[in-house]
């Protein structure tokens, strides 16, 4: 069965071999069109969307108004429209990207360092390597999960997952501004200083610290406490208990100290009062003797 659509069978070509494959193809496009071409197209769109979903709000937050469109200073786009200067700029950027797409559409990478690794990784699947391979990894991040086929696939999984979210996000940006006429950064907790977003972020991190969400063949969504979360919960409870005990002992000591200090202050004040009364009586007696 499909992972993404549990009530449908998994498409025959989507067997989980490739990064990002969750069996989602309700229209059966993988059976009609070339799978590698579609994966290459998705990877390219995902990378552009990740750049756009960052650049769009940044342009509205920090870009000069003469580069933005309309009285509400919207990011220039097909739905928002363009001003002459922004149109020339965007046309130049798209022209550069289009030239790169044309030059790289029939690229050969199987003789490059990464291409050779991909050819070995995918030898049991097909002869094409992996889509989106430009032999570009200056920071050697591709091996962050290990210099192995599984490690490299994990990085590609991470990239395509973020890219899919970015494609959804940039589509939502464009639709929101086209429908409302207001910038996406306007009155948004994601782009304006507020306390709500940090609270949600902390809650999300705390949830992942103790729980995980999963789906099974019986239930679409379940929340379960992880074994690590159980250990962390027990440790926190133990630490709180010890802290409470220590705080109680410290409170008792503090109360004892306060009691001793109060008695000392009271006795000192009483002694000073007695000495003051004695000195006053002596002074009065001397004054009366002199008068007589």
């Amino acid at each position: 069965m499909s992972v993404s659509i549990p009530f449908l069978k998994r498409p025959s070509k989507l067997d989980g071999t490739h990064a990002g494959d969750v069996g989602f193809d309700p229209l059966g496009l993988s059976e009609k069109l070339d799978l590698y071409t579609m994966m290459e197209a998705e990877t390219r769109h995902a990378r552009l969307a990740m750049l756009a979903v960052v650049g769009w709000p940044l342009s509205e937050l920090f870009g000069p108004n003469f580069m933005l469109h309309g009285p509400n200073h919207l990011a220039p786009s097909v739905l928002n429209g363009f001003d002459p200067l922004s149109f020339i700029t965007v046309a130049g950027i798209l022209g550069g990207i289009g030239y790169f797409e044309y030059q790289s559409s029939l690229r050969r990478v199987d003789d490059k360092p990464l291409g050779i690794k991909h050819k070995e990784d995918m030898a049991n699947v097909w002869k094409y390597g992996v889509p989106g391979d430009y032999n570009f990894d200056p920071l050697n991040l591709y091996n962050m999960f290990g210099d192995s086929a599984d490690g490299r696939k994990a990085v590609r999984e991470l990239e395509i997952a973020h890219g899919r979210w970015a494609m959804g996000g940039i589509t939502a940006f464009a639709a929101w501004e086209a429908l409302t006429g207001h910038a996406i950064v306007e009155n948004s907790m994601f782009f304006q200083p507020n306390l709500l977003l940090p609270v949600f972020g902390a809650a999300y991190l705390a949830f992942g610290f103790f729980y995980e969400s999963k789906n099974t063949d019986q239930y679409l969504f379940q929340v379960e406490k992880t074994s690590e979360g159980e250990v962390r919960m027990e440790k926190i409870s133990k630490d709180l208990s010890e802290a409470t005990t220590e705080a109680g002992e410290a409170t008792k000591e503090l109360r004892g100290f306060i009691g001793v200090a109060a008695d000392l202050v009271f006795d000192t004040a009483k002694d000073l009062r007695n000495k003051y009364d004695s000195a006053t009586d002596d002074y009065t007696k001397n004054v009366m003797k002199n008068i007589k």
Side-chain angles (χ1 to χ4, degrees), residues 14 18-20 30 33-50 97 100-110 115 118 122 126 128-136 142 156 159-160 163-164 167:
L14 303 183
H18 301 284
S30 61
L33 304 174
D34 181 69
L35 183 59
Y36 184 90
T37 301
M38 290 190 292
M39 292 171 63
E40 176 81 16
E42 182 186 31
T43 302
R44 293 185 180 212
H45 282 82
R47 290 169 178 171
L48 286 174
M50 285 188 282
I97 293 175
F100 174 77
E101 292 283 307
Y102 172 75
Q103 291 292 327
S104 62
S105 60
L106 300 176
R107 69 192 185 283
R108 179 178 178 181
V109 295
D110 59 352
H118 290 151
M122 307 297 290
W126 59 13
Y128 303 115
V130 299
D133 178 9
Y134 292 95
N135 194 46
F136 180 78
Y142 200 26
R156 297 196 300 275
E159 179 188 35
I160 197 63
R164 287 168 177 170
M167 287 188 283

Side-chain angles (χ1 to χ4, degrees), residues 6-283:
F7 53 84
L8 292 180
K9 291 183 178 180
R10 177 186 283 272
S12 58
K13 290 187 178 180
L14 303 183
D15 57 0
T17 303
H18 301 284
D21 178 6
V22 291
F24 181 81
D25 185 20
L27 300 181
L29 298 179
S30 61
E31 303 292 336
K32 304 172 185 176
L33 304 174
D34 181 69
L35 183 59
Y36 184 90
T37 301
M38 290 190 292
M39 292 171 63
E40 176 81 16
E42 182 186 31
T43 302
R44 293 185 180 212
H45 282 82
R47 290 169 178 171
L48 286 174
M50 285 188 282
L51 293 174
V53 82
V54 174
W56 187 302
L58 286 179
S59 67
E60 294 180 341
L61 287 171
F62 306 110
N65 290 339
F66 64 83
M67 286 295 294
L68 301 175
H69 179 70
N72 291 328
H73 308 302
L74 306 179
S77 68
V78 174
L79 296 180
N80 288 342
F82 297 92
D83 294 331
L85 183 59
S86 63
F87 176 79
I88 295 172
T89 303
V90 172
I93 294 173
L94 292 179
I97 293 175
Y99 178 77
F100 174 77
E101 292 283 307
Y102 172 75
Q103 291 292 327
S104 62
S105 60
L106 300 176
R107 69 192 185 283
R108 179 178 178 181
V109 295
D110 59 352
D111 57 344
K112 303 295 191 298
L114 286 181
I116 294 172
K117 288 185 177 181
H118 290 151
K119 192 173 182 179
E120 295 173 355
D121 295 345
M122 307 297 290
N124 296 328
V125 181
W126 59 13
K127 61 181 180 179
Y128 303 115
V130 299
D133 178 9
Y134 292 95
N135 194 46
F136 180 78
D137 185 25
L139 300 180
N140 196 33
L141 297 177
Y142 200 26
N143 295 321
M144 70 169 72
F145 296 135
D147 187 9
S148 64
D150 290 336
R152 286 185 283 273
K153 182 182 178 183
V155 176
R156 297 196 300 275
E157 291 270 9
L158 194 64
E159 179 188 35
I160 197 63
H162 282 82
R164 287 168 177 170
W165 279 107
M167 287 188 283
I170 198 66
T171 302
F173 287 1
W176 175 267
E177 293 194 358
L179 292 173
T180 66
H182 292 274
I184 193 69
V185 298
E186 184 179 327
N187 298 324
S188 171
M189 70 175 180
F190 292 101
F191 306 109
Q192 302 296 334
N194 63 89
L195 293 177
L196 193 59
L197 186 60
V199 169
F200 284 157
Y204 176 78
L205 291 176
F207 175 84
F209 206 63
F210 301 104
Y211 300 93
E212 66 177 357
S213 59
K214 53 190 287 190
N215 64 318
T216 65
D217 56 356
Q218 185 176 6
Y219 301 106
L220 182 61
F221 181 77
Q222 279 187 312
V223 175
E224 293 182 357
K225 186 183 292 184
T226 62
S227 56
E228 294 85 354
E230 190 73 35
V231 173
R232 291 174 182 139
M233 191 74 76
E234 291 177 359
K235 187 177 185 305
I236 291 175
S237 298
K238 182 179 178 181
D239 291 343
L240 287 175
S241 177
E242 292 177 354
T244 302
T245 303
E246 293 176 359
E249 294 175 355
T251 301
K252 290 180 181 179
E253 293 178 0
L254 181 61
R255 287 177 178 175
F257 173 77
I258 292 175
V260 172
D263 292 340
L264 180 61
V265 171
F266 179 77
D267 293 340
T268 302
K270 185 176 180 180
D271 185 56
L272 289 175
R273 179 65 183 180
N274 292 335
K275 290 181 179 180
Y276 174 78
D277 291 340
S278 177
T280 301
D281 291 341
D282 293 341
Y283 175 77

